[in-house]
Amino acid sequence: MATATYPIGGLQTPAKRPALSEYFRWSIDHKIIGVQYMVMAFVFFIIAGGMAMLIRWELLTPAIDLMASGSSYNTLFTLHGTMMIFTWIVPMFAGFGNYLIPLMLGAKDMAFPWLNAFAFWLIPPAGLLLIAGYFVGPAEAGWTSYPPLSTIYSPDGQTLWALSIHLLGLSSILGAINFIVTIKNMRPPGMGWFQMPLFVWATFATSIIVVLATPFLAGALTLLILDRVAGTTFFNATAGGDVLLWQNVFWFYSHPAVYIMVLPGFGILSELLSVHSRKPIFGYRMIALSSMAIALVGFTVWAHHMFTSLQPELRIPFMITSFIIAVPTGIKIFGWLGTIFGGKIRLNSAMLFGLGFLSLFVIGGISGMMLGSVPVDIHMHDTYFVVSHFHFVLFGGSVFAIYGGIYHWFPKFTGRMLNERLGKIHFALTYFGFFFTFFPMHMVGIAGMPRRVAEYDPQFQNWNLLIGFSAFVLGFSTFVLVYNVFVSIYRGKVAGANPWRALTLEWQTSSPPPAYNFVGDPIPFEDPYGYGTDASKAYLEAMEARFGESFNPEKPKALPPTTPTPAPEPSAGD
Amino acid sequence: MQRDLLELGLTRQEQQALQNKRAGIFIFQASWILTFVCLIVVNWQMRFSPNWMPDPNDRLGVVIATIATAILGASALLVRHAVKVVNNQNLSEFLRLWLISILLGGIFVVLIGYEWVIVPTGTQYAQVFRVMTGFHIVHAVSIGIYLGLVYVNGRKRVYNVNDYLWAVEAGAKLWYFVLVAWLLFYVVIYWI
């Protein structure tokens, strides 16, 4: 009965996993490109994380001892921040989007597969340019690269830094165009805007920000490069230039960029909480539309980064807009709490990271409100309080979402389950390592310790010891995940098509999905989060009948390895 | 009209691909025009500089720029007409109009390039002027080269009908982009 109700087209048996070499060459398969994005981003994460370890090592003592000079320290935090933002978080979410968006929409690929590959292949040279800069005189003006530090006081590596960010920005724009067109044009029959998974909504909102904000970064970087190599004086105050010009244009991009880095995490969280609570998402439309609201209001708050240099009469309007943007974010938080409230919660690794995100991001949001207040910001400006705030948002938020997403979708990516015991160890080390690294920074920041210094007042040393050793735990925790991934790819339990019994379309095909994802047009379930209804049970049973039994985390039983079948021949027009 | 009939004959995948291309180029234009808006913001903010234009006589007159703008506008109108012509599969007339559009675009580039060369240097006005017009010329030349490729391919008959239509449509849309970007700059640089 149920099988007749949902005539899903699709391969019934898993496809062969692509050969390893395919991930190292040009491919227009969105799944390969997705994995390329994710693996490359993770490599940069390890490199930039190593830099963070060196930073904390230097700060174990108040004197400068590990580094040769303050300039070396400046280089470290400049590359750390730049790489974490532009070569880790942004491309990592692009990787999730590339892999999942066509699957969630029941499409065979992205709208522009060639452009998709091109956007990816802009990133490795950009990352290499960043690193190459280290050897020609490294950039040391911070990831914000304020002139005149980034113009007359920086060596040639700063030029390579700017060229690198230019390439990364172009890659982002091309990727975002692809996402928008794919989401707008390639939804399957029966999937309206408000039947889309919330990760798709989040990616859509993110992509709108990217296409509207990144051109401003491109403009600013062009001027910076001209100042450095062509003798112009846009940012040279002694020749009539204006350093605040950079700050305005840079933050007009970079504050929305914060949402570029966190909105996809919101989308991932929505998927995790609903699936692992076995409950419909609470306030679906409000969560979806609040992403759009954040995307729009995000363009009106940039000058709160400049409260100390801004004309006084402009401070209050930007303070108000900064507070307003907390409203749609708060709507999401309440929506997520409503989703898990009374749910049948599975405390697996994915859910733990989801809950970790929820708890840590709220702290980051509250400290953001504090910094959005003019008098508090003027006191806290450029202290460790700011460092704490943005790490709670970008690590406690974005990176926890990425980890949760990895645990959630790894079975789909590879056909194997990640080891749960290792996952929980990873979570515990990450959560407590993170908390004791970044929460104490609030205290030292309030007490007046400035950011971006290699030497500090000895009164802060005890706090910095706690922060440093916690950071080492946090750094170590990453390798638990790496180990888990390597072991599970080869020895993990066979996942089957839908081990989480989720309703979104990426689970209604084999794991890993075959080339072109589905045969024919898959029919989405009427509500991607409609858990707990007879209709959803019938749908899931129909899926299981088609794709075979999946691993059941609640009643673990090893499934026999399945025999891969060759990918289907693409139809005309593919 | 002919074009609509052709599109009806496309397979579902081909129609989807065409829709995607149209949406993609629209979003690209909406995004990339903001780099021009960014330079307008720069122009506006640099006007507060003490070195903006110490001598008001440094400001270039509007005559050459207005002639150039009219030429670019005429070029865009001809491109628009050429698209209509090719939609009715009148290839020889299309090629004639397309070539004239490219030549007019070339005259525009020469005129604005002349302004770029003669602007008195040493002021913030001059360097903002050069960056804005130079940025626009780079786009005009790049897209002009693309229009030239469409022309050459049209003469060689290398496209099938559907590809050819899209190549022309894309070229026209990019050329409109050049016009719109220039109109924004023209008003800001020469009139405000």
Side-chain angles (χ1 to χ4, degrees):
Chain A
M1 42 109 192
T3 47
T5 313
Y6 300 104
I8 305 283
L11 268 196
Q12 313 310 307
T13 48
K16 192 179 170 186
R17 241 179 359 217
L20 192 60
S21 61
E22 288 192 44
Y23 293 102
F24 291 94
R25 57 180 192 230
W26 180 276
S27 168
I28 56 168
D29 181 340
H30 72 98
K31 297 183 292 297
I32 294 202
I33 295 170
V35 173
Q36 286 174 326
Y37 265 110
M38 288 189 269
V39 172
M40 182 215 58
F42 209 91
V43 169
F44 282 119
F45 177 50
I46 299 285
I47 296 170
M51 292 173 183
M53 296 301 104
L54 291 174
I55 288 170
R56 291 320 315 178
W57 189 356
E58 171 58 60
L59 295 176
L60 289 175
T61 60
I64 185 164
D65 36 29
L66 178 66
M67 305 290 155
S69 66
S71 287
S72 309
Y73 184 81
N74 294 344
T75 299
L76 263 188
F77 69 70
T78 297
L79 288 180
H80 164 76
T82 305
M83 292 176 82
M84 283 294 190
I85 289 168
F86 291 108
T87 62
W88 157 235
I89 297 179
V90 173
M92 190 67 185
F93 281 136
F96 275 104
N98 266 289
Y99 200 105
L100 294 171
I101 295 289
L103 282 165
M104 286 179 161
L105 297 178
K108 292 181 170 158
D109 207 313
M110 297 282 281
F112 305 112
W114 190 93
L115 191 68
N116 202 19
F118 180 70
F120 167 75
W121 283 103
L122 287 174
I123 300 178
L128 292 176
L129 269 181
L130 262 184
I131 294 169
Y134 187 84
F135 299 101
V136 297
E140 49 181 289
W143 85 275
T144 52
S145 283
Y146 281 6
L149 291 176
S150 57
T151 48
I152 52 183
Y153 295 115
S154 277
D156 289 345
Q158 189 73 47
T159 308
L160 297 186
W161 178 93
L163 288 169
S164 167
I165 304 302
H166 238 326
L167 282 179
L168 293 165
L170 180 61
S171 166
S172 284
I173 291 174
L174 298 178
I177 290 171
N178 220 339
F179 282 131
I180 293 173
V181 176
T182 305
I183 293 167
K184 178 183 167 291
N185 284 358
M186 298 178 73
R187 280 174 282 123
M191 186 187 283
W193 284 96
F194 289 107
Q195 278 90 42
M196 291 195 311
L198 286 167
F199 178 69
V200 180
W201 266 106
T203 303
F204 186 68
T206 304
S207 301
I208 288 175
I209 301 175
V210 169
V211 296
L212 295 181
T214 313
F216 284 85
L217 180 68
L221 287 167
T222 302
L223 300 186
L224 185 70
I225 293 169
L226 288 174
D227 264 17
R228 291 190 56 82
V229 303
T232 58
T233 55
F234 290 106
F235 305 121
N236 184 350
T238 59
D242 184 353
V243 290
L244 288 184
L245 173 64
W246 169 267
Q247 292 187 26
N248 269 311
V249 182
F250 176 81
W251 284 116
F252 189 78
Y253 161 77
S254 290
H255 192 82
V258 172
Y259 304 111
I260 292 170
M261 287 183 274
V262 82
L263 276 176
F266 290 170
I268 289 175
L269 189 66
S270 299
E271 305 296 329
L272 300 187
L273 295 183
S274 180
V275 171
H276 297 292
S277 301
R278 312 309 296 163
K279 263 190 72 189
I281 202 91
F282 182 81
Y284 169 91
R285 281 183 184 237
M286 293 306 287
I287 291 182
L289 294 176
S290 63
S291 292
M292 302 303 289
I294 289 171
L296 293 178
V297 183
F299 282 100
T300 65
V301 304
W302 81 93
H304 72 212
H305 294 274
M306 303 159 56
F307 276 154
T308 54
S309 53
L310 197 64
Q311 288 168 278
E313 61 271 24
L314 290 177
R315 290 172 177 166
I316 300 300
F318 280 101
M319 182 173 83
I320 291 170
T321 55
S322 302
F323 287 166
I324 287 172
I325 205 163
V327 175
T329 314
I331 286 171
K332 285 183 184 296
I333 303 280
F334 284 113
W336 292 326
L337 291 175
T339 301
I340 59 176
F341 183 76
K344 191 179 159 191
I345 296 175
R346 302 168 179 156
L347 277 180
N348 53 29
S349 306
M351 186 64 167
L352 285 172
F353 275 104
L355 295 174
F357 173 117
L358 203 49
S359 63
L360 300 174
F361 183 80
V362 167
I363 295 174
I366 290 170
S367 61
M369 285 298 96
M370 294 167 74
L371 289 171
S373 163
V374 174
V376 178
D377 183 78
I378 286 173
H379 178 67
M380 308 286 200
H381 186 78
D382 261 347
T383 69
Y384 259 85
F385 191 92
V386 179
V387 180
S388 177
H389 158 67
F390 68 70
H391 280 91
F392 265 88
V393 172
L394 294 180
F395 197 125
S398 307
V399 179
F400 270 65
I402 288 168
Y403 283 161
I406 290 172
Y407 283 97
H408 184 70
W409 281 295
F410 186 85
K412 182 53 60 184
F413 299 158
T414 65
R416 301 277 180 166
M417 303 298 292
L418 277 169
N419 182 297
E420 265 301 308
R421 183 186 297 263
L422 285 171
K424 283 171 181 156
I425 292 170
H426 175 221
F427 170 75
L429 291 174
T430 307
Y431 192 87
F432 292 106
F434 171 85
F435 191 86
F436 288 107
T437 299
F438 293 105
F439 198 83
M441 289 183 187
H442 289 119
M443 283 68 157
V444 290
I446 290 171
M449 180 168 165
R451 65 192 282 209
R452 293 174 169 166
V453 289
E455 295 173 285
Y456 57 87
D457 191 307
Q459 66 167 309
F460 300 123
Q461 186 174 13
N462 286 341
W463 281 119
N464 278 287
L465 282 172
L466 172 64
I467 291 169
F469 288 118
S470 304
F472 299 146
V473 173
L474 182 60
F476 171 75
S477 72
T478 313
F479 294 98
V480 179
L481 173 65
V482 173
Y483 176 75
N484 195 353
V485 165
F486 274 108
V487 169
S488 299
I489 282 178
Y490 298 104
R491 293 192 203 156
K493 295 185 175 105
V494 174
N498 192 1
W500 308 126
R501 293 178 66 76
L503 289 168
T504 41
L505 276 178
E506 79 273 26
W507 298 102
Q508 319 315 329
T509 183
S510 55
S511 302
Y516 303 99
N517 301 338
F518 306 91
V519 175
D521 292 329
I523 311 291
F525 185 61
E526 58 200 14
D527 175 358
Y529 305 105
Y531 298 106
T533 62
D534 289 341
S536 69
K537 284 175 191 156
Y539 181 85
L540 290 169
E541 281 168 16
M543 292 306 100
E544 193 157 289
R546 282 190 168 264
F547 295 102
E549 195 181 357
S550 294
F551 181 77
N552 183 346
E554 288 161 22
K555 296 175 193 164
K557 178 183 82 172
L559 296 176
T562 46
T563 310
T565 56
E569 288 298 319
S571 56
D574 288 334
Chain B
M1 192 56 67
Q2 182 69 29
R3 174 189 191 82
D4 295 340
L5 291 175
L6 280 169
E7 286 183 20
L8 282 176
L10 298 177
T11 65
R12 193 179 125 194
Q13 283 96 340
E14 286 169 339
Q15 285 182 353
Q16 172 87 79
L18 194 58
Q19 274 182 14
N20 289 347
K21 286 173 184 170
R22 285 179 178 152
I25 205 164
F26 172 77
I27 296 164
F28 174 74
Q29 288 175 318
S31 173
W32 202 242
I33 197 75
L34 293 174
T35 55
F36 291 81
V37 173
C38 175
L39 291 180
I40 288 171
V41 171
V42 170
N43 179 298
W44 179 75
Q45 186 156 342
M46 295 310 284
R47 288 173 190 227
F48 296 100
S49 163
N51 192 33
W52 169 246
M53 196 191 302
D55 181 357
N57 293 325
D58 282 352
R59 183 165 185 156
L60 290 174
V62 298
V63 177
I64 295 175
T66 304
I67 293 169
T69 306
I71 289 172
L72 184 63
S75 171
L77 280 175
L78 284 180
V79 160
R80 185 165 179 268
H81 191 53
V83 172
K84 280 186 183 168
V85 167
V86 80
N87 283 346
N88 290 317
Q89 296 200 312
N90 185 348
L91 195 56
S92 57
E93 176 66 1
F94 159 75
L95 287 171
R96 195 178 67 83
L97 292 170
W98 200 256
L99 181 61
I100 296 171
S101 305
I102 295 169
L103 293 175
L104 289 176
I107 295 170
F108 165 82
V109 168
V110 169
L111 288 175
I112 298 302
Y114 174 73
E115 295 266 272
W116 194 94
V117 171
I118 64 165
V119 64
T121 56
T123 63
Q124 287 295 334
Y125 165 77
Q127 69 174 14
V128 172
F129 176 90
R130 282 188 157 181
V131 165
M132 291 175 81
T133 52
F135 191 66
H136 187 270
I137 286 173
V138 166
H139 285 78
V141 170
S142 306
I143 294 169
I145 289 170
Y146 174 72
L147 297 190
L149 286 174
V150 171
Y151 176 78
V152 171
N153 285 338
R155 280 184 70 93
K156 291 182 181 170
R157 309 287 200 272
V158 297
Y159 298 116
N160 70 38
V161 173
N162 297 329
D163 285 347
Y164 187 62
L165 288 177
W166 169 248
V168 171
E169 185 180 331
K173 285 178 173 171
L174 291 170
W175 199 240
Y176 301 153
F177 176 86
V178 169
L179 175 64
V180 171
W182 174 253
L183 289 176
L184 291 174
F185 275 10
Y186 172 66
V187 171
V188 171
I189 294 173
Y190 290 96
W191 291 100
I192 296 179

